[in-house]
Each structure stands twice: as structure tokens, then as C-alpha cells.
Amino acid sequence: MNKWELEDRTKRFALRIIAFVASLPRGRIGDVIGYQLLKAGTSVGANYREANSAESRNDFIHKVAIVEKESSESRYWLELIHESNLGEVNERTWVHTEAGELLAIFTQIGKATK
């Protein structure tokens, strides 16, 4: 997968996160957890795009580490959502799986670049 395909994949992930959060039940729990997931899930692609415009190899490594952290945080919020049985199960499963795959990809990119 090249960087353009990965940028597209992270953008699709962000769009699915937006739709998923919009479908969560309204109220204190759904609003708070949804907001946290929305921030982390949409940051993955934004920070990866920024990494691809890095000014140096060290800058790239630093920015990819941020992408890895945002992917991990997304996965955390999705685990809470899953274990709380919030949201539609098929979409919840898709975004949870995709968050895990993105985390693995960015972890590998970080390790390989160092």
C-alpha cells in the first residue's frame, strides 16, 4: 500500500467514524465517548497527511508516532463502546477492526522508519 492509498484509507476511516458517532445514542455517555472517539478517529488521517509533508526524517518519525497514538486512542474508545454495547453492531465491528489494522500499520511504519 503506498502513501496515497493509506491517506485515502485513513480518510475513509474518519468518514466512517463521523457517521458512527452521529449514530450513537444522545445523552451524557454517548456524547462524551462519541466526542473523544471523533477527535481521535479523525486525527489519524489528518496527522498521517501531515507526516507525509514532514520536513525531515526525524519530523516524519515524530508525526507517525502521533498517528500511532491516535490510532491506539481510537481503539480504546471503540473498546469502551463495544463493551458498553453502544451503537450498531456491524458498524461498531468495522470501525474497531479498522482501528486495529491502522494501529498495526502505523506501528510497523514507525518501527521500519527508525
Side-chain angles (χ1 to χ4, degrees):
M1 175 177 303
N2 67 38
K3 73 179 186 177
W4 310 115
E5 292 168 326
L6 191 51
E7 278 188 8
D8 185 56
R9 184 172 175 175
T10 59
K11 184 178 181 181
R12 285 192 318 269
F13 176 69
L15 291 168
R16 294 281 289 261
I17 288 290
I18 291 167
F20 180 69
V21 168
S23 75
L24 290 175
R26 300 294 305 178
R28 180 174 269 174
I29 294 169
D31 292 349
V32 170
I33 292 176
Y35 177 69
Q36 295 294 333
L37 174 59
L38 186 64
K39 289 191 327 179
T42 57
S43 290
V44 173
N47 283 296
Y48 179 61
R49 192 171 284 192
E50 189 174 325
N52 285 330
S53 298
E55 296 176 6
S56 67
R57 186 169 188 265
N58 284 340
D59 189 31
F60 179 80
I61 291 167
H62 172 73
K63 289 176 178 172
V64 165
I66 294 169
V67 177
E68 187 178 342
K69 289 177 184 180
E70 295 295 342
S71 298
S72 180
E73 183 179 343
S74 297
R75 188 115 164 138
Y76 172 77
W77 294 115
L78 287 161
E79 287 171 10
L80 289 180
I81 287 168
H82 177 73
E83 292 174 28
S84 300
N85 203 28
L86 296 172
E88 197 274 320
V89 68
N90 290 330
E91 192 63 14
R92 181 176 73 211
T93 300
W94 188 92
V95 291
H96 187 262
T97 300
E98 184 68 358
E101 290 178 12
L102 290 172
L103 176 57
I105 290 167
F106 289 115
T107 299
Q108 184 57 41
I109 289 172
K111 286 179 181 177
T113 306
K114 290 178 186 173

